[in-house]
Amino acid sequence: MAADQLQRFLFDGTAVRGEIARLESTYHEALANHDYPEPIQRLLGELLAACALLTATIKLDGTLGIEIRGNGAVSLLMAESNPGNHERAQRLRGIARFDHDAVAALADTSLHGLLGDGKVVITLDPREGRRYQGIVALDQPSIAGCVETYFAQSEQLPTRLWLAADDQGAAGLLLQKLPAESISLAADADLDAWDRLNHLAATITDDELTGLDARDVLYRLFHEEQPRLFDPAPVMFACTCSRERFGVALHQLGADELRGLIEERGEIETQCHFCNTTYVFSPADVEALIDNPDAPSPTMH
């Protein structure tokens, strides 16, 4: 089984479904070119796994983002994803913003130790229709707990998550209880399944979650429950930055601001925070952008 995948499953005769996310190259590519201390790597890995699970669970044609904003040594953890299908991988990326010296001085590298007080913002940005944001307080001890609170408040679906990240990769397990009226259950349906399956899932260890593939995790937890598996779906690191997007953003600064930057610096250099791609705009590029944000491509490094 490929390392970077989402594995959907359900339990027949119950109102319970689930998803497992395993990220190896996706996780390592998100960390590449960034000097993230180990505690931030771990939390960003958990957030990437959570974002992958939410994107697979919430039906959305667009972009899903999770931001954790705090007032501590880490000011921002962010993961963003675009959905995929069995032929096209879900595209996932993430960043962290932090004070390196402040993080190094911390004895407490828990979620709250790093971020302090703050909030979790989950944004659903469909290609068509209105943008939606759900905001919950950063008042749980883990990213999993914060996302569970979001589902309870915004989606009103009982949802449990287990997240882990280490040197091998990042991974997550999601269980969700569907409304009984949304599915057809037989008269002899297993109505106690939710509590029992949660109890079994809670026995998973971080090492098992990151070290075993999805089928082995399911066998380890639910071999007596016989979950039904669907075809796995691929996940990959991919950034959505482009010359067009940076050109539009610069165009919005206005002619005076752009010409002032050129006079001061000789050129305008912009860098994508997700993938570190650098775009350099020459004076000629900037003049073209002032007239037309869809001007020819700038120099890219």
Side-chain angles (χ1 to χ4, degrees), residues 6-27:
L6 289 152
Q7 176 64 68
R8 182 184 170 212
F9 59 94
L10 59 79
F11 299 91
D12 290 324
T14 78
V16 182
R17 69 178 179 187
E19 194 96 30
I20 293 176
R22 297 198 70 248
L23 312 172
E24 289 187 13
S25 62
T26 302
Y27 171 54

Side-chain angles (χ1 to χ4, degrees), residues 25-277:
S25 62
T26 302
Y27 171 54
H28 292 299
E29 287 187 58
L31 300 182
N33 301 316
H34 296 284
D35 184 22
Y36 294 145
E38 187 279 332
I40 296 178
Q41 293 183 23
R42 172 177 48 82
L43 287 178
L44 188 58
E46 291 183 11
L47 192 64
L48 287 165
C51 189
L53 290 169
L54 264 68
T55 304
T57 302
I58 298 173
K59 302 304 181 184
L60 174 72
D61 181 16
T63 301
L64 184 147
I66 309 177
E67 296 179 47
I68 305 179
R69 304 172 186 169
N71 62 1
V74 178
S75 59
L76 175 71
L77 291 172
M78 179 181 181
E80 189 177 85
S81 180
N82 303 99
N85 52 42
H86 297 305
E87 291 76 33
R88 184 186 67 194
Q90 182 188 128
R91 292 156 292 160
L92 189 64
R93 51 208 167 268
I95 55 170
R97 293 177 182 160
F98 63 100
D99 182 317
H100 202 290
D101 292 338
V103 171
L106 285 175
D108 180 4
T109 58
S110 66
L111 179 66
H112 283 280
L114 287 165
L115 283 115
D117 295 326
K119 59 186 177 182
V120 181
V121 182
I122 297 179
T123 303
L124 310 180
D125 192 4
R127 295 181 186 274
E128 298 181 4
R130 297 182 60 183
R131 191 167 180 259
Y132 167 80
Q133 283 192 330
I135 301 175
V136 297
L138 185 58
D139 58 1
Q140 299 295 324
S142 67
I143 292 174
C146 294
V147 177
E148 289 172 359
T149 300
Y150 164 79
F151 270 105
Q153 294 182 1
S154 299
E155 301 291 326
Q156 298 181 340
L157 290 174
T159 303
R160 293 293 313 280
L161 281 92
W162 292 264
L163 304 169
D166 56 23
D167 291 342
Q168 296 183 78
L173 166 65
L174 177 148
L175 289 183
Q176 190 168 73
K177 185 178 182 181
L178 300 172
E181 62 272 14
S182 68
I183 57 176
S184 298
L185 291 178
D188 61 347
D190 185 353
L191 301 180
D192 297 324
W194 175 247
D195 290 337
R196 184 177 70 255
L197 294 170
N198 270 282
H199 177 75
L200 293 171
T203 66
I204 193 71
T205 67
D206 289 353
D207 288 343
E208 288 172 333
L209 198 54
T210 58
L212 300 176
D213 71 22
R215 290 177 180 270
D216 288 339
V217 168
L218 290 172
Y219 182 80
R220 151 76 176 81
L221 296 176
F222 308 121
H223 61 276
E224 294 184 356
E225 304 291 334
Q226 298 183 337
R228 178 153 58 97
L229 277 63
F230 295 81
D231 291 336
V235 185
M236 64 180 289
F237 174 85
C239 188
T240 58
C241 75
S242 68
R243 169 257 174 224
E244 289 81 5
R245 296 185 69 170
F246 277 101
V248 168
L250 288 174
H251 178 80
Q252 293 174 349
L253 293 176
D256 291 343
E257 180 74 13
L258 289 173
R259 287 177 177 138
L261 289 171
I262 288 293
E263 183 176 349
E264 177 185 342
R265 304 175 185 176
E267 62 185 16
I268 298 176
E269 181 178 297
T270 61
Q271 185 176 50
C272 175
H273 295 296
F274 287 116
C275 66
N276 277 348
T277 298

